[in-house]
Amino acid sequence: AASLRLNLGAVYWNLMRPGDAEREWKQALLVSPDSAQLLNNLGLVCADKKRNDEAIEYFERSMRLRPNYTDAHLNLGRLYKDMGRAPEAELQLQAAVALAPLNVGARNELGNLYYNAGHLQQAELQFQASVASIPNAGAIDSLGDIALRQGRSDAAERDYRQAIALDEFDPRGHFGLAGILEAQGKEPEAVAEYRAGSNVDPLNQEAQAALKRITAKLHDAKTPKP
């Protein structure tokens, strides 16, 4: 019965019905109170609903039952990161990486934490390890962001193009490449990339503003001067 409710809860979670998922997982926990997976899942629900104290308690209970459970460390690290508790987030994400060095999610989360703190070299190491494990657009985009922040626009352009080649529906790659092309004065190519990214992320305000700016510039260039 517990396994059925565990699986049903997962279906509800994937359908973005966290309330139904929580109901099923709580019922399952009554039958299997020592399930680290159920406790971790309930932590996810509470984090999703911004019930942070409950979420922390569930993740910690899960880790006490299974200290080497990567997902619990990763999810608690993500929660601490979202809460702005960077030192605690770093400890949990480092633990997740140590337990599962090939875990792309853990590497990328730790890399993002370092990037946001301005520790670019440490961030780069995590994203490089992520890509070495499984090539993924998220980590490659982040390497592009680091290169751009360091003034290495050629390297950033290569990274964004590589990310797009891996995932043509990657808005970060398209927007990053568009910014570089615009800076190079390649407005038509930049417009194409902004539009490609906007097809996936139509609400991105920076991209919409850039499109208006560039199309107005191109229009002005074509308008005959008196």
mmCIF file of all heavy atoms in Angstrom, residues 175-200:
data_model
loop_
_atom_site.group_PDB
_atom_site.id
_atom_site.type_symbol
_atom_site.label_atom_id
_atom_site.label_comp_id
_atom_site.label_asym_id
_atom_site.label_seq_id
_atom_site.Cartn_x
_atom_site.Cartn_y
_atom_site.Cartn_z
ATOM 1 N N PHE A 175 19.767 33.913 -25.889
ATOM 2 C CA PHE A 175 19.854 35.295 -25.401
ATOM 3 C C PHE A 175 21.312 35.710 -25.178
ATOM 4 O O PHE A 175 21.700 36.845 -25.471
ATOM 5 C CB PHE A 175 19.062 35.461 -24.105
ATOM 6 C CG PHE A 175 17.570 35.327 -24.269
ATOM 7 C CD1 PHE A 175 16.777 34.816 -23.241
ATOM 8 C CD2 PHE A 175 16.939 35.706 -25.447
ATOM 9 C CE1 PHE A 175 15.407 34.695 -23.380
ATOM 10 C CE2 PHE A 175 15.564 35.591 -25.604
ATOM 11 C CZ PHE A 175 14.792 35.076 -24.565
ATOM 12 N N GLY A 176 22.112 34.798 -24.641
ATOM 13 C CA GLY A 176 23.525 35.111 -24.424
ATOM 14 C C GLY A 176 24.237 35.387 -25.734
ATOM 15 O O GLY A 176 25.008 36.361 -25.861
ATOM 16 N N LEU A 177 23.990 34.531 -26.719
ATOM 17 C CA LEU A 177 24.599 34.723 -28.033
ATOM 18 C C LEU A 177 24.099 36.016 -28.677
ATOM 19 O O LEU A 177 24.880 36.759 -29.296
ATOM 20 C CB LEU A 177 24.291 33.527 -28.928
ATOM 21 C CG LEU A 177 24.845 33.564 -30.355
ATOM 22 C CD1 LEU A 177 26.362 33.746 -30.356
ATOM 23 C CD2 LEU A 177 24.446 32.290 -31.101
ATOM 24 N N ALA A 178 22.811 36.305 -28.524
ATOM 25 C CA ALA A 178 22.240 37.529 -29.092
ATOM 26 C C ALA A 178 22.928 38.764 -28.545
ATOM 27 O O ALA A 178 23.227 39.711 -29.291
ATOM 28 C CB ALA A 178 20.742 37.584 -28.808
ATOM 29 N N GLY A 179 23.186 38.781 -27.250
ATOM 30 C CA GLY A 179 23.848 39.928 -26.642
ATOM 31 C C GLY A 179 25.238 40.154 -27.219
ATOM 32 O O GLY A 179 25.649 41.304 -27.460
ATOM 33 N N ILE A 180 25.959 39.060 -27.435
ATOM 34 C CA ILE A 180 27.306 39.171 -28.012
ATOM 35 C C ILE A 180 27.229 39.678 -29.452
ATOM 36 O O ILE A 180 27.994 40.560 -29.862
ATOM 37 C CB ILE A 180 28.025 37.812 -27.946
ATOM 38 C CG1 ILE A 180 28.344 37.457 -26.487
ATOM 39 C CG2 ILE A 180 29.312 37.842 -28.772
ATOM 40 C CD1 ILE A 180 28.898 36.065 -26.294
ATOM 41 N N LEU A 181 26.305 39.132 -30.231
ATOM 42 C CA LEU A 181 26.164 39.552 -31.629
ATOM 43 C C LEU A 181 25.761 41.025 -31.728
ATOM 44 O O LEU A 181 26.249 41.755 -32.598
ATOM 45 C CB LEU A 181 25.134 38.664 -32.338
ATOM 46 C CG LEU A 181 25.549 37.208 -32.538
ATOM 47 C CD1 LEU A 181 24.372 36.370 -33.025
ATOM 48 C CD2 LEU A 181 26.711 37.097 -33.523
ATOM 49 N N GLU A 182 24.886 41.447 -30.821
ATOM 50 C CA GLU A 182 24.498 42.868 -30.824
ATOM 51 C C GLU A 182 25.704 43.750 -30.530
ATOM 52 O O GLU A 182 25.910 44.788 -31.173
ATOM 53 C CB GLU A 182 23.392 43.115 -29.795
ATOM 54 C CG GLU A 182 22.897 44.555 -29.800
ATOM 55 C CD GLU A 182 21.855 44.834 -28.726
ATOM 56 O OE1 GLU A 182 21.488 43.907 -27.977
ATOM 57 O OE2 GLU A 182 21.423 46.008 -28.642
ATOM 58 N N ALA A 183 26.524 43.335 -29.549
ATOM 59 C CA ALA A 183 27.714 44.113 -29.198
ATOM 60 C C ALA A 183 28.712 44.155 -30.354
ATOM 61 O O ALA A 183 29.471 45.118 -30.491
ATOM 62 C CB ALA A 183 28.375 43.514 -27.964
ATOM 63 N N GLN A 184 28.685 43.135 -31.192
ATOM 64 C CA GLN A 184 29.576 43.078 -32.357
ATOM 65 C C GLN A 184 29.022 43.866 -33.541
ATOM 66 O O GLN A 184 29.663 43.948 -34.586
ATOM 67 C CB GLN A 184 29.804 41.624 -32.775
ATOM 68 C CG GLN A 184 30.598 40.797 -31.772
ATOM 69 C CD GLN A 184 30.639 39.322 -32.141
ATOM 70 O OE1 GLN A 184 29.893 38.860 -33.009
ATOM 71 N NE2 GLN A 184 31.513 38.575 -31.482
ATOM 72 N N GLY A 185 27.831 44.425 -33.378
ATOM 73 C CA GLY A 185 27.216 45.175 -34.464
ATOM 74 C C GLY A 185 26.531 44.309 -35.500
ATOM 75 O O GLY A 185 26.195 44.780 -36.589
ATOM 76 N N LYS A 186 26.284 43.051 -35.144
ATOM 77 C CA LYS A 186 25.623 42.115 -36.068
ATOM 78 C C LYS A 186 24.127 42.058 -35.720
ATOM 79 O O LYS A 186 23.620 41.053 -35.227
ATOM 80 C CB LYS A 186 26.266 40.736 -35.982
ATOM 81 C CG LYS A 186 27.753 40.730 -36.352
ATOM 82 C CD LYS A 186 28.371 39.351 -36.138
ATOM 83 C CE LYS A 186 29.851 39.349 -36.492
ATOM 84 N NZ LYS A 186 30.495 38.038 -36.217
ATOM 85 N N GLU A 187 23.437 43.182 -35.972
ATOM 86 C CA GLU A 187 22.052 43.315 -35.525
ATOM 87 C C GLU A 187 21.096 42.271 -36.104
ATOM 88 O O GLU A 187 20.291 41.706 -35.351
ATOM 89 C CB GLU A 187 21.537 44.728 -35.824
ATOM 90 C CG GLU A 187 22.007 45.781 -34.848
ATOM 91 C CD GLU A 187 23.313 46.426 -35.273
ATOM 92 O OE1 GLU A 187 23.851 46.006 -36.319
ATOM 93 O OE2 GLU A 187 23.790 47.335 -34.569
ATOM 94 N N PRO A 188 21.125 41.992 -37.416
ATOM 95 C CA PRO A 188 20.180 40.989 -37.934
ATOM 96 C C PRO A 188 20.350 39.617 -37.289
ATOM 97 O O PRO A 188 19.363 38.943 -36.964
ATOM 98 C CB PRO A 188 20.500 40.955 -39.432
ATOM 99 C CG PRO A 188 21.098 42.289 -39.724
ATOM 100 C CD PRO A 188 21.892 42.628 -38.500
ATOM 101 N N GLU A 189 21.627 39.206 -37.092
ATOM 102 C CA GLU A 189 21.876 37.917 -36.436
ATOM 103 C C GLU A 189 21.412 37.950 -34.982
ATOM 104 O O GLU A 189 20.870 36.964 -34.468
ATOM 105 C CB GLU A 189 23.366 37.555 -36.509
ATOM 106 C CG GLU A 189 23.874 37.287 -37.913
ATOM 107 C CD GLU A 189 24.511 38.526 -38.538
ATOM 108 O OE1 GLU A 189 24.023 39.655 -38.250
ATOM 109 O OE2 GLU A 189 25.470 38.367 -39.315
ATOM 110 N N ALA A 190 21.603 39.093 -34.323
ATOM 111 C CA ALA A 190 21.162 39.228 -32.933
ATOM 112 C C ALA A 190 19.644 39.119 -32.827
ATOM 113 O O ALA A 190 19.114 38.450 -31.931
ATOM 114 C CB ALA A 190 21.635 40.562 -32.359
ATOM 115 N N VAL A 191 18.928 39.764 -33.766
ATOM 116 C CA VAL A 191 17.464 39.691 -33.774
ATOM 117 C C VAL A 191 17.005 38.244 -33.909
ATOM 118 O O VAL A 191 16.081 37.799 -33.208
ATOM 119 C CB VAL A 191 16.887 40.554 -34.921
ATOM 120 C CG1 VAL A 191 15.406 40.230 -35.146
ATOM 121 C CG2 VAL A 191 17.054 42.034 -34.605
ATOM 122 N N ALA A 192 17.668 37.491 -34.791
ATOM 123 C CA ALA A 192 17.288 36.087 -34.990
ATOM 124 C C ALA A 192 17.446 35.283 -33.699
ATOM 125 O O ALA A 192 16.599 34.444 -33.366
ATOM 126 C CB ALA A 192 18.135 35.475 -36.105
ATOM 127 N N GLU A 193 18.521 35.551 -32.964
ATOM 128 C CA GLU A 193 18.751 34.808 -31.714
ATOM 129 C C GLU A 193 17.778 35.245 -30.619
ATOM 130 O O GLU A 193 17.268 34.408 -29.863
ATOM 131 C CB GLU A 193 20.196 34.995 -31.247
ATOM 132 C CG GLU A 193 21.234 34.364 -32.160
ATOM 133 C CD GLU A 193 21.059 32.864 -32.330
ATOM 134 O OE1 GLU A 193 20.574 32.198 -31.394
ATOM 135 O OE2 GLU A 193 21.410 32.350 -33.407
ATOM 136 N N TYR A 194 17.518 36.544 -30.530
ATOM 137 C CA TYR A 194 16.542 37.010 -29.531
ATOM 138 C C TYR A 194 15.165 36.394 -29.813
ATOM 139 O O TYR A 194 14.454 35.999 -28.882
ATOM 140 C CB TYR A 194 16.434 38.538 -29.534
ATOM 141 C CG TYR A 194 17.504 39.246 -28.734
ATOM 142 C CD1 TYR A 194 18.296 40.240 -29.308
ATOM 143 C CD2 TYR A 194 17.695 38.950 -27.383
ATOM 144 C CE1 TYR A 194 19.264 40.908 -28.572
ATOM 145 C CE2 TYR A 194 18.667 39.607 -26.641
ATOM 146 C CZ TYR A 194 19.447 40.582 -27.240
ATOM 147 O OH TYR A 194 20.412 41.236 -26.505
ATOM 148 N N ARG A 195 14.811 36.320 -31.088
ATOM 149 C CA ARG A 195 13.507 35.750 -31.444
ATOM 150 C C ARG A 195 13.464 34.256 -31.147
ATOM 151 O O ARG A 195 12.447 33.737 -30.676
ATOM 152 C CB ARG A 195 13.202 36.032 -32.913
ATOM 153 C CG ARG A 195 12.764 37.466 -33.155
ATOM 154 C CD ARG A 195 12.494 37.759 -34.609
ATOM 155 N NE ARG A 195 11.980 39.128 -34.775
ATOM 156 C CZ ARG A 195 12.019 39.806 -35.916
ATOM 157 N NH1 ARG A 195 12.547 39.251 -37.000
ATOM 158 N NH2 ARG A 195 11.538 41.026 -35.974
ATOM 159 N N ALA A 196 14.564 33.561 -31.427
ATOM 160 C CA ALA A 196 14.617 32.120 -31.142
ATOM 161 C C ALA A 196 14.457 31.868 -29.642
ATOM 162 O O ALA A 196 13.739 30.947 -29.225
ATOM 163 C CB ALA A 196 15.929 31.531 -31.646
ATOM 164 N N GLY A 197 15.117 32.687 -28.831
ATOM 165 C CA GLY A 197 14.970 32.540 -27.382
ATOM 166 C C GLY A 197 13.583 32.902 -26.909
ATOM 167 O O GLY A 197 13.025 32.255 -26.012
ATOM 168 N N SER A 198 13.003 33.939 -27.525
ATOM 169 C CA SER A 198 11.668 34.396 -27.119
ATOM 170 C C SER A 198 10.581 33.393 -27.473
ATOM 171 O O SER A 198 9.514 33.393 -26.852
ATOM 172 C CB SER A 198 11.362 35.747 -27.772
ATOM 173 O OG SER A 198 12.241 36.741 -27.303
ATOM 174 N N ASN A 199 10.828 32.554 -28.468
ATOM 175 C CA ASN A 199 9.859 31.501 -28.792
ATOM 176 C C ASN A 199 9.669 30.542 -27.614
ATOM 177 O O ASN A 199 8.596 29.969 -27.430
ATOM 178 C CB ASN A 199 10.313 30.717 -30.026
ATOM 179 C CG ASN A 199 10.164 31.506 -31.307
ATOM 180 O OD1 ASN A 199 9.356 32.437 -31.377
ATOM 181 N ND2 ASN A 199 10.935 31.156 -32.322
ATOM 182 N N VAL A 200 10.722 30.390 -26.808
ATOM 183 C CA VAL A 200 10.673 29.503 -25.642
ATOM 184 C C VAL A 200 10.346 30.280 -24.375
ATOM 185 O O VAL A 200 9.637 29.794 -23.498
ATOM 186 C CB VAL A 200 12.025 28.759 -25.469
ATOM 187 C CG1 VAL A 200 11.941 27.742 -24.334
ATOM 188 C CG2 VAL A 200 12.447 28.084 -26.763
#
